Amino acid sequence: MKYSVNPAISELERAYQFFNGELFGGGLDSNVVITIQSRGRKSALGWHWASKWKNGDTTSIAEINLSAEELKTSDPYEVLIHEMAHHLNHQKGIKDVSRGQYHNKRFKEAAESAGLEVKRVGNVGWGITALGDLAKAKLLKFTPQKDVFALLRVHETGRKEPKHRKWSCSCGVNVRVGRRDFDATCNLCGTRFELQEGI
């Protein structure tokens, strides 16, 4: 078979084992299935879903997924570490995100301890992450094989893009604007509005 996501999944499984030791102190269990699936109507770059899989009738297994449409445009290693932080909190019985995908301070603490920089944005809370210095250093030690992420799923073309996009400031004020180059500051908190595109 010429085209397959298997090399990308194998690379993510290799990265999971490496980052578990280097960034999580070996604290994550192996009860996780790593997948690459379509994000569908979601805007997420990835997700952690507790107890989504079963081994036979008894053992519940969590899922860490990376969105197939974002494999090439996002940093798959950063997304993986983000979801691993959710998995760590899940193991500890800590609720770190609400139904509306608002990431609370418990997620921020887990993500920062794993080497991510965390930013707070209105409707997603502390859900915007990037590789921090520690994670970048560990990634270099890991010797990533980014070429396996060249294959990505094409975004749906039948669905129209929204005319107005959502922008949020840090105090939670939301506005909908039809331009991507919108540049404004909130009068309440003094921070710039940022385009909300996926987590």
Side-chain angles (χ1 to χ4, degrees), residues 104-117:
N104 64 32
K105 286 185 179 179
R106 304 304 293 275
F107 171 77
K108 177 181 183 287
E109 291 165 5
E112 286 179 339
S113 70
L116 295 179
E117 292 178 355

Side-chain angles (χ1 to χ4, degrees), residues 177-192:
V177 180
R179 334 171 27 150
R180 274 198 169 265
D181 60 346
F182 178 62
D183 186 14
T185 303
C186 174
N187 290 335
L188 297 174
C189 65
T191 61
R192 291 180 64 227

Side-chain angles (χ1 to χ4, degrees), residues 82-99:
H82 177 118
E83 302 309 333
M84 289 172 76
H86 282 302
H87 189 55
L88 178 66
N89 279 337
H90 164 66
Q91 281 183 199
K92 294 179 175 179
I94 295 171
K95 186 171 174 60
D96 65 3
V97 66
S98 68
R99 190 177 184 95

Side-chain angles (χ1 to χ4, degrees), residues 42-168:
K42 298 186 273 298
S43 61
L45 302 178
W47 60 79
H48 173 270
W49 202 331
S51 306
K52 187 62 177 172
W53 293 74
K54 280 207 175 275
N55 184 10
D57 293 329
T58 55
T59 307
S60 291
I61 305 168
E63 172 183 283
I64 287 179
N65 180 73
L66 273 70
S67 297
E69 295 87 349
E70 304 294 341
L71 283 177
K72 195 173 179 181
T73 54
S74 66
D75 184 329
Y77 301 102
E78 181 270 319
V79 176
L80 178 65
I81 297 167
H82 177 118
E83 302 309 333
M84 289 172 76
H86 282 302
H87 189 55
L88 178 66
N89 279 337
H90 164 66
Q91 281 183 199
K92 294 179 175 179
I94 295 171
K95 186 171 174 60
D96 65 3
V97 66
S98 68
R99 190 177 184 95
Q101 296 309 304
Y102 186 91
H103 291 58
N104 64 32
K105 286 185 179 179
R106 304 304 293 275
F107 171 77
K108 177 181 183 287
E109 291 165 5
E112 286 179 339
S113 70
L116 295 179
E117 292 178 355
V118 184
K119 185 175 176 185
R120 184 175 181 265
V121 174
N123 64 325
V124 295
W126 298 100
I128 306 301
T129 55
L131 294 174
D133 291 339
L134 174 62
K136 286 177 184 174
K138 297 297 184 183
L139 188 58
L140 288 174
K141 183 179 173 186
F142 172 68
T143 59
Q145 299 173 2
K146 290 192 174 186
D147 56 317
V148 300
F149 300 110
L151 184 68
L152 79 159
R153 193 170 192 271
V154 178
H155 289 272
E156 291 179 37
T157 55
R159 210 173 69 201
K160 290 183 181 177
E161 285 293 318
K163 289 182 182 177
H164 291 87
R165 292 178 171 86
K166 187 176 182 178
W167 296 72
S168 299

